[in-house]
Amino acid sequence: MNQPTDNATSISLVLAGSGGSGVITAGNMLLAAAAKAGWYGLMTRSAGPQIRGGEAAALLRLSSEPVSAQPDRYDLIIALDWMNFERFADEIPLDENTVIIGDASAAKKTPAFVTEGPARRGDIDFKNLSKAIPGGRPNMIALGTVGALIGLPEDALDAALSDALAKRGEDAITASRAGAQAGRSVAADMPATPKLPTPEGEKAGRWLISGNEAAGLGAIRGGVRFVAAYPITPATEILEWMSPALTKVGGVLVQAEDELASINMAIGGSYGGVPALTATSGPGLALMTEAIGLAVASEVPVVIVDVMRGGPSTGIPTKSEQSDLNMALYALPGDAPHIVVAPNSIRDCVFTTQWSVHLAEAMQTPAIVLSDQALGQAKSVIAAPADIAFIAQRETASTPAQGENYQRYAVTASGVSPMALPGTPGCAYTADGLEHNPRGTPSGGAKDHHIQLDKRQRKTDDFDYGQHWADQAGEGDTVVLTWGSCTGPVLEALENLAGTDDAARMISMRLLMPAPKDQLTKALEGAKRVIVVEQTHSGQFMGYLRANIDLPRDAEHYCIPGPLPMRPGDIVSLVKEGTPS
Amino acid sequence: MTAETAITPKHTPRDYKSDIKPVWCPGCGDYSVLGSITKAFSELNLDPENVAVISGIGCSSRIPAYTDCYGFHGVHGRSLPLAAGLKVARPDMTVLVASGDGDGFSIGGNHFMHACRRNVDLTYVVMDNRVYGMTKGQASPTTEPDWDNALTPGGSGISPFRPLVIALAAGANFIARGFSGDQNGTAKLLKEAIEHPGFSFVQILSPCVTFRPDQKEWKDDVHDATVDPTDDLGRAARRLMTDDGFNVGVLYRGEREAFQPPIGNASATVADLEGKFAL
Amino acid sequence: MSTLDINNIGEFLAHAHALEAEAASQYADLAEQMEVHNNTEVAELFHKLAEIEGKHITKIDDKAGDTPIPHIAPWEYKWEGGQSPEAVVDMEAHYMMTPHHALTMSLKAEERAADFFQRIADNTTDEQVRSLSTEMALEEREHIEWLHKWLEKYPKPEHDWDEDMDPPMLQE
């Protein structure tokens, strides 16, 4: 029943199952195998609320080109069972070309949105096939079937299985390979899906990495050697990756009792001269805001990575949203100049986090990195990011000459004052969250307050951020203005529109605070149409833009909250028709 | 002639005092505690630049600026994590944390327990006057339940917090109580606390002459502990069961190893880390 | 009172020096406190007392000559109750205190100091210590006389001397 298939440029598929069926592991193996085959890929996951045994889905998009967004539709869904599968219905757009493969023994339990939907269907007897193999498992059968359907070379899958199961021993590898073989053997009976061509040539220079790992690596590249950690979804992987990594490069991670402690520990470590970081999500950032204000006032550099999730309050911990923007910009007490930057891809999590360390250290102020769940918890095959020479360079003070007194908050042209590190003779000072004079002595006087406010503001206002304030792409009179994880779908949409009458260009803002007003105004020159794209309910990014630049009165606004990802097709129809698909 | 053989310190206590004049009320016990701290530093022969005094918010938390050491006057209740971060990052520094009963036991209560558990080599000095002074006299966790005040008229009605009991239960490695009226005795306690590895907790009864003038009587209430310091948790716990809150001296000396993960010893390069992601 | 025996000139000089130095330092601190609290009259008085104690330190150091003064940890001195006898009880300080209060505080401290030196003189087996200690006790008693005279100028104030019409200030 196989139909002839085209050489596709990308294939999207879902592996779903429940009760410990191992679909996430299978998804990881498939992504690794795809990488070995020379493909690029992106994997996200979705799961029920259970800690163990819940329903789970690995959502993969594989391509011969780098993948920047989740797909508009899925080509293939393999469900090892149908338990609570309808939970994923919103996340998995289907059409008449989608192939859905279920477990033969559970055919009766197939949910309505599958049976009544347009997709083509097939069934595989996963349970019995796997029982026939000693140590066999249904998820390995599924892997084999998927591989055969999409054109994944057998040796790539076998190699990925060997890598993943190396610790479990030869028997496990043999069983898995046998399972995959059994899955391959039944693939021909299934409705056909598109096949991806296997690329020729060089595959070196690619990484398989998650956004959270990338952020951790960027921080270490930038010079972070002290991390204080309190676990929170979806930021925990940054901390867990950094813990052993820091040990290897001579740094240290300390687990704190809460976010109030983690941010204060980070500030303490940085005060001691060691570039420091903490990572959290919205609820944790809320707890940290008082201490971030302290870092502003006391001029101690520190980096806070906020991997945003759906809010308010506990919200939707495992899903993405951009709704911490206002908090990152405005939550600190008083007039508190600090840095807010946002990575716009998994790959960019490396650069932006590294850059944030550089900015925080150079300006002696806190930097908040606004990543999100869609970047952080997604895993991707990417081109290895270049090693940019942005590293922590803090201006420090040395012992003053006889008769001269050290002033920690000396008023300088740049606003940055040399910072004495504890242990430096003749420079002892008290860092203070109370307003102070140049020496650091608490002062409630108008003059001291105004001078120090100006000095702190000057640090971030006058800094040269270079071209990194935004990424720009495409050409056209229409500008799509966006930030963060919305950038991927926008980029893919604009690539699809390139060369047509609807061609448009993109500005993806990496630097959010201080607002790059001049740069943005200049970049928008000549735009006949501006479309602002963000993932919030209230339009936080739009409000921010309106507050900072003279945005055209008729600027359009596409603003949807999480938890569903933004899809390239939405942006295409937005540009073409003025409304999302 | 007990201690004539002691080495003459490089720095006098006054060398550790800055020229910034305290805002405390005359008569406040905290002046004397500042004296005890500087005497202890002098006797320990510490160079001022190798000492950091870390605090939160409150009357007692003003201490860092009054010393000529490195200091950090942070936010309310968070002095312990701030100090722990510094000490872990800079194990070469001697770090003393100054706090009060509101800062340390109320808003900072959770950090107190976890600092005891974590056992970073810090000395935690809490000047306890059973009242919030900077906000004009409200009940703190150690205030008597029937102490009348504007915020809780007729008294808070809440049983006082027992800092030494909490410290012992949470795992502090050194526990003592001093009295600001005994500046030299308290200096001795602080010297021992700083020398003791791990987390050392010293509660110092330090009267507030403005909001709790009744506390001037404390000089008649305090008395030396009648039992010797112990390294036995059970004995220390039993002693605390009969504690009237005015026993001064060392209660407990533990033998737990201080928390200090290694820092500065690289065994790999950043490129090695990146290699793990390469295909 | 417990017996107080100091039978070594070095140890005696260390005690005498520390006693005066603590007093000088404490008066200087109190003067500063009064300045911060805008009580200039008492601030000046404490400055004067600090200056006088400073002169005593010089005097003791002169007497010591080449005799080495050993270092003694603050808590190892043979003070009754752990604190230097000439230290004033700083808990008695008050921002609205009058010269009468300051002089009374000082008087008590001088009396304790005189008593301290006298007891050393009475108990010691060392002639040099006895001679110096007797001299110091005499000197402290001269101060006491002088403070009494000074106090005559400042009779005890009315009972409401510490009345402040304003409430304390909120700071943090």
Side-chain angles (χ1 to χ4, degrees):
Chain A
M1 64 197 284
N2 271 352
Q3 305 290 319
T5 51
D6 296 325
N7 271 2
T9 54
S10 100
I11 286 192
S12 300
L13 61 100
V14 176
L15 289 163
S18 73
S21 57
V23 289
I24 302 297
T25 301
N28 278 320
M29 290 169 168
L30 184 57
L31 185 63
K36 285 182 189 295
W39 293 338
Y40 288 93
L42 174 72
M43 176 176 144
T44 58
R45 49 180 150 164
S46 190
Q50 308 89 326
I51 308 267
R52 301 303 300 266
E55 52 284 357
L59 289 72
L60 287 98
R61 191 171 181 208
L62 307 174
S63 173
S64 45
E65 301 294 326
V67 179
S68 63
Q70 294 204 44
D72 293 318
R73 54 171 291 281
Y74 282 87
D75 298 294
L76 172 64
I77 292 156
I78 292 199
L80 299 181
D81 62 68
W82 295 111
M83 301 299 289
N84 284 317
F85 184 79
E86 61 277 11
R87 187 188 292 278
F88 305 120
D90 290 344
E91 293 178 58
I92 306 173
L94 310 175
D95 61 22
E96 65 282 2
N97 290 320
T98 305
V99 172
I100 300 184
I101 297 170
D103 182 63
S105 66
K108 276 188 225 154
K109 293 180 184 161
T110 313
F113 86 92
V114 173
T115 51
E116 291 162 17
R120 294 174 290 152
R121 290 181 51 209
D123 286 319
I124 291 178
D125 194 353
F126 292 115
K127 289 208 177 92
N128 284 321
L129 280 173
S130 61
K131 271 184 199 154
I133 299 161
R137 286 171 181 270
N139 60 341
M140 294 300 118
I141 309 286
L143 257 187
T145 307
V146 170
L149 286 172
I150 67 173
L152 178 70
E154 281 180 35
D155 57 345
L157 183 57
D158 281 351
L161 291 176
S162 298
D163 288 355
L165 298 168
K167 281 187 189 150
R168 295 229 191 151
E170 214 41 59
D171 288 351
I173 294 171
T174 308
S176 294
R177 285 185 175 177
Q181 185 53 44
R184 273 193 286 271
S185 66
V186 296
D189 302 331
M190 296 295 114
T193 68
K195 279 184 163 55
L196 266 184
T198 310
E200 302 292 322
E202 193 57 43
K203 295 172 284 217
R206 288 188 201 167
W207 288 5
L208 178 58
I209 195 167
S210 74
N212 278 342
E213 290 166 336
L217 177 63
I220 289 181
R221 271 189 175 184
V224 165
R225 291 296 180 272
F226 182 88
V227 171
Y230 190 74
I232 185 170
T233 303
T236 308
E237 296 91 351
I238 297 182
L239 304 163
E240 287 185 337
W241 182 81
M242 290 192 88
S243 183
L246 279 168
T247 305
K248 288 180 191 135
V249 295
V252 65
L253 179 142
V254 182
Q255 182 178 342
E257 56 270 30
D258 54 30
E259 287 93 347
L260 304 164
S262 58
I263 181 66
N264 277 283
M265 283 181 180
I267 293 169
S270 176
Y271 167 77
V274 182
L277 171 146
T278 186
T280 188
S281 190
L285 183 65
L287 289 176
M288 291 180 185
T289 50
E290 185 192 19
I292 299 172
L294 171 68
V296 171
S298 60
E299 303 198 36
V300 176
V302 65
V303 173
I304 305 98
V305 181
D306 172 11
V307 185
M308 295 182 286
R309 63 195 217 184
S313 186
T314 312
I316 314 178
T318 56
K319 300 290 180 191
S320 205
E321 204 166 69
Q322 295 184 312
S323 47
D324 290 345
L325 174 63
N326 279 348
M327 176 164 57
L329 294 169
Y330 309 124
L332 310 188
D335 286 318
H338 61 286
I339 306 297
V340 180
V341 291
N344 58 27
S345 68
I346 292 173
R347 186 168 183 259
D348 190 49
C349 286
V350 178
F351 171 79
T352 295
T353 313
Q354 180 177 358
W355 192 44
S356 75
V357 180
H358 170 75
L359 296 177
E361 291 283 325
M363 286 177 262
Q364 298 179 15
T365 199
I368 298 173
V369 179
L370 285 180
S371 177
D372 64 22
Q373 188 274 339
L375 298 174
Q377 292 195 318
K379 220 169 170 179
S380 185
V381 182
I382 60 169
D387 193 356
I388 312 286
F390 279 129
I391 50 156
Q393 279 174 319
R394 196 184 302 184
E395 193 178 340
T396 54
S398 48
T399 305
Q402 199 72 31
E404 282 175 27
N405 289 320
Y406 171 65
Q407 293 199 316
R408 167 65 186 101
Y409 303 108
V411 180
T412 61
S414 68
V416 177
S417 322
M419 181 175 180
L421 302 186
T424 312
C427 291
Y429 75 99
T430 293
D432 210 319
L434 279 170
E435 189 57 284
H436 41 256
N437 65 16
R439 194 187 150 187
T441 310
S443 166
K447 192 177 158 208
D448 286 328
H449 187 42
H450 296 173
I451 285 176
Q452 293 295 320
L453 280 170
D454 284 346
K455 162 190 148 52
R456 291 189 292 259
Q457 190 68 51
R458 206 154 60 232
K459 292 195 297 185
T460 61
D461 279 0
D462 295 356
F463 191 84
D464 179 7
Y465 299 90
Q467 81 229 19
H468 306 294
W469 70 274
D471 279 349
Q472 304 188 56
E475 280 180 31
D477 298 336
T478 298
V479 173
V480 181
L481 178 51
T482 191
W483 71 286
S485 65
C486 291
T487 305
V490 169
L491 264 181
E492 184 173 329
L494 297 200
E495 276 163 22
N496 292 342
L497 292 168
T500 72
D501 292 345
D502 295 302
R505 63 192 169 96
M506 178 198 75
I507 302 171
S508 167
M509 288 178 63
R510 183 180 285 108
L511 176 68
L512 295 163
M513 181 169 264
K517 298 179 193 177
D518 296 344
Q519 298 95 315
L520 183 55
T521 302
K522 190 154 182 287
L524 284 170
E525 272 173 15
K528 294 215 170 84
R529 187 178 166 211
V530 176
I531 308 171
V532 174
V533 173
E534 64 176 305
Q535 196 181 27
T536 69
H537 185 258
S538 62
Q540 296 183 21
F541 184 54
M542 188 64 157
Y544 158 85
L545 292 169
R546 289 274 186 218
N548 282 291
I549 63 159
D550 194 9
L551 201 64
R553 183 175 284 205
D554 59 356
E556 293 158 52
H557 187 200
Y558 180 51
C559 154
I560 50 156
L564 295 182
M566 200 164 279
R567 299 188 194 275
D570 296 335
I571 311 297
V572 168
S573 49
L574 195 67
V575 174
K576 284 169 94 162
E577 284 135 41
T579 52
S581 51
Chain B
M1 296 301 295
T2 43
E4 282 194 16
T5 48
I7 300 159
T8 303
K10 285 184 279 188
H11 307 279
T12 69
R14 198 151 270 276
D15 291 340
Y16 298 89
K17 283 190 186 169
S18 78
D19 57 3
I20 296 170
K21 297 172 182 177
V23 296
W24 298 320
C25 307
C28 177
D30 294 352
Y31 285 108
S32 180
V33 179
L34 176 59
S36 299
I37 291 171
T38 55
K39 282 179 174 175
F41 287 167
S42 170
E43 288 302 315
L44 287 162
N45 222 11
L46 299 168
D47 287 322
E49 67 268 18
N50 294 331
V51 179
V53 183
I54 311 297
S55 71
I57 293 296
C59 295
S60 49
S61 287
R62 292 294 186 116
I63 273 195
Y66 307 147
T67 72
D68 208 12
C69 306
Y70 280 86
F72 207 136
H73 182 209
V75 293
H76 198 22
R78 318 288 167 226
S79 56
L80 284 171
L82 195 61
L86 171 61
K87 181 67 185 179
V88 171
R90 288 291 305 277
D92 55 313
M93 297 291 294
T94 297
V95 182
L96 183 127
V97 191
S99 184
D101 40 302
D103 186 68
F105 303 147
S106 192
I107 188 169
N110 192 38
H111 306 307
F112 177 42
M113 286 194 296
H114 292 282
C116 293
R117 279 182 59 221
R118 194 173 285 116
N119 205 32
V120 174
D121 189 11
L122 302 171
T123 299
Y124 187 40
V125 180
V126 179
M127 284 151 259
D128 191 345
N129 57 14
R130 304 184 184 176
V131 73
Y132 284 88
M134 282 283 183
T135 52
K136 295 211 305 182
Q138 296 79 28
S140 87
T142 49
T143 304
E144 302 81 343
D146 57 352
W147 186 71
D148 187 48
N149 67 92
L151 190 61
T152 52
S156 70
I158 302 173
S159 295
F161 188 82
R162 298 180 68 184
L164 274 63
V165 178
I166 302 287
L168 189 72
N173 213 29
F174 178 94
I175 300 170
R177 182 188 287 132
F179 172 51
S180 66
D182 177 10
Q183 187 180 79
N184 292 330
T186 300
K188 185 182 183 190
L189 285 179
L190 291 177
K191 176 175 181 269
E192 195 184 333
I194 294 167
E195 283 177 316
H196 196 85
F199 186 77
S200 299
F201 170 58
V202 185
Q203 178 196 30
I204 303 181
L205 305 172
S206 179
C208 173
V209 292
T210 294
F211 297 105
R212 300 297 308 265
D214 51 305
Q215 292 173 345
K216 289 184 188 175
E217 304 303 321
W218 279 359
K219 64 180 185 301
D220 302 320
D221 296 335
V222 294
H223 49 90
D224 285 340
T226 51
V227 187
D228 287 337
T230 177
D231 60 1
D232 182 291
L233 278 170
R235 282 173 62 104
R238 278 193 297 279
R239 209 184 111 180
L240 285 175
M241 292 304 108
T242 55
D243 179 25
D244 64 355
F246 291 99
N247 269 297
V248 295
V250 177
L251 168 75
Y252 176 73
R253 292 188 189 109
E255 288 166 1
R256 279 207 300 145
E257 203 179 321
F259 175 90
Q260 180 58 60
I263 184 163
N265 311 316
S267 62
T269 64
V270 178
D272 295 335
L273 298 179
E274 291 174 357
K276 303 279 180 201
F277 297 116
L279 289 167
Chain C
M1 280 190 182
S2 61
T3 55
L4 176 62
D5 33 84
I6 292 180
N7 301 316
N8 170 298
I9 189 64
E11 188 186 9
F12 173 79
L13 287 166
H15 278 78
H17 180 98
L19 180 146
E20 303 293 355
E22 287 251 336
S25 149
Q26 210 180 7
Y27 285 133
D29 285 345
L30 284 166
E32 199 170 79
Q33 291 176 28
M34 293 303 140
E35 276 165 5
V36 171
H37 291 80
N38 304 305
N39 187 344
T40 47
E41 187 183 20
V42 179
E44 274 169 36
L45 197 155
F46 278 131
H47 273 309
K48 213 169 279 178
L49 291 168
E51 199 182 311
I52 294 164
E53 300 300 340
K55 283 179 186 157
H56 290 182
I57 301 173
T58 321
K59 202 177 240 177
I60 287 159
D61 291 348
D62 286 350
K63 291 204 187 297
D66 295 336
T67 314
I69 301 181
H71 174 72
I72 298 177
W75 49 87
E76 299 287 358
Y77 288 101
K78 294 177 175 170
W79 315 130
E80 187 78 27
Q83 318 307 312
S84 154
E86 207 174 8
V88 297
V89 178
D90 51 13
M91 220 184 293
E92 289 171 5
H94 189 283
Y95 66 104
M96 291 172 80
M97 72 196 302
T98 67
H100 174 85
H101 298 106
L103 292 168
T104 308
M105 275 171 85
S106 179
L107 186 61
K108 286 188 214 159
E110 299 288 338
E111 281 168 351
R112 285 191 298 268
D115 178 61
F116 176 78
F117 285 122
Q118 191 57 55
R119 282 168 53 223
I120 292 174
D122 293 349
N123 292 338
T124 188
T125 55
D126 183 291
E127 266 318 305
Q128 202 184 352
V129 170
R130 190 193 326 279
S131 146
L132 259 180
S133 194
T134 306
E135 191 183 331
M136 297 299 295
L138 265 173
E139 204 161 287
E140 297 295 350
R141 277 197 282 274
E142 279 171 27
H143 291 172
I144 292 167
E145 286 307 305
W146 175 70
L147 281 168
H148 275 300
K149 274 187 198 152
W150 203 352
L151 258 174
E152 282 167 18
K153 280 196 274 179
Y154 297 102
K156 193 174 180 186
E158 296 296 315
H159 70 279
D160 59 353
W161 62 271
D162 60 350
E163 192 191 343
D164 184 340
M165 303 287 278
D166 288 338
M169 294 294 158
L170 288 157
Q171 288 299 342
E172 282 170 1

